[in-house]
Amino acid sequence: MVLGLMRAIGEPCTPYDLKRAHAVSVGYFWTLPHSQLYAEPPRLARGGYVTEQREEGGRRRRLFSLTDKGEAALDAWLATPHGTLPELRDMALLQVFYGADMSAVASRQIAAHEERLAGYEALHADLQKATDAPPGPIRTLEAGIAYERTMIGYWRSLL
């Protein structure tokens, strides 16, 4: 994921840049502790996947860039199909499983999923307008939109 974010940013980046890029892109479906985005680039540098430079002045931030080895590793990973299913970890479903008031849980979940759906639909509309938008983010948003619509339907069925 870090290599992919670095490619998407397209220029030397700091761990903070990675954190910001994560928050507005893959962070919607791939969560991780922000500390990992600070720890991973130096580890990748030690492995030769990225280079590290330090700014000469100012805050002397650490800037990381993909190497040819990092590009090749990312390309190899992208070319390898994965058939694993995601792990569903949903606190609301856990509450329902253990006997919570379904109507109360469902009402909160409908509102949350509707809010997320509206955000995804707005992002999708913006990307559809862009002439140079890559297809990957558009298709991923479509999966998110379908998921949110499905969950809204599920929670409404519990009311």
Side-chain angles (χ1 to χ4, degrees), residues 103-125:
S103 294
V105 175
S107 295
R108 288 190 309 267
Q109 289 302 303
I110 290 167
H113 284 285
E114 285 176 340
E115 183 177 339
R116 177 66 58 88
L117 175 60
Y120 284 173
E121 289 175 334
L123 286 170
H124 188 265

Side-chain angles (χ1 to χ4, degrees), residues 90-113:
D90 186 321
M91 190 68 69
L93 288 176
L94 195 58
Q95 289 177 319
V96 168
F97 183 87
Y98 285 115
D101 176 355
M102 285 187 219
S103 294
V105 175
S107 295
R108 288 190 309 267
Q109 289 302 303
I110 290 167
H113 284 285

Side-chain angles (χ1 to χ4, degrees), residues 14 52-63:
T14 66
E52 179 180 348
Q53 296 173 288
R54 182 135 343 229
E55 288 180 327
E56 292 187 23
R59 298 189 326 223
R60 297 190 37 82
R61 298 177 309 162
R62 298 164 75 178
L63 297 168

Side-chain angles (χ1 to χ4, degrees), residues 12 14 19 21 33 47 52 54 64 67 85-86 89-90 108 112 119 137 146 151 154:
T14 66
K19 178 183 151 204
E52 179 180 348
R54 182 135 343 229
F64 297 91
T67 63
L85 292 174
R89 294 175 54 97
D90 186 321
R108 288 190 309 267
M151 292 310 293
Y154 166 76

Side-chain angles (χ1 to χ4, degrees), residues 11-41:
E11 55 189 45
C13 58
T14 66
Y16 180 73
D17 295 329
L18 294 171
K19 178 183 151 204
R20 284 189 356 221
H22 174 265
V24 298
S25 62
V26 297
Y28 287 109
F29 60 89
W30 192 268
T31 59
L32 73 157
H34 292 145
S35 60
Q36 190 171 357
L37 292 172
Y38 286 85
E40 195 65 18

Side-chain angles (χ1 to χ4, degrees), residues 2-4 6-7 49-51 64-68 70-71 74:
V2 172
L3 296 176
M6 292 178 80
R7 180 183 281 170
Y49 297 96
V50 302
T51 60
F64 297 91
S65 301
L66 282 173
T67 63
D68 289 343
E71 292 276 2
L74 179 57

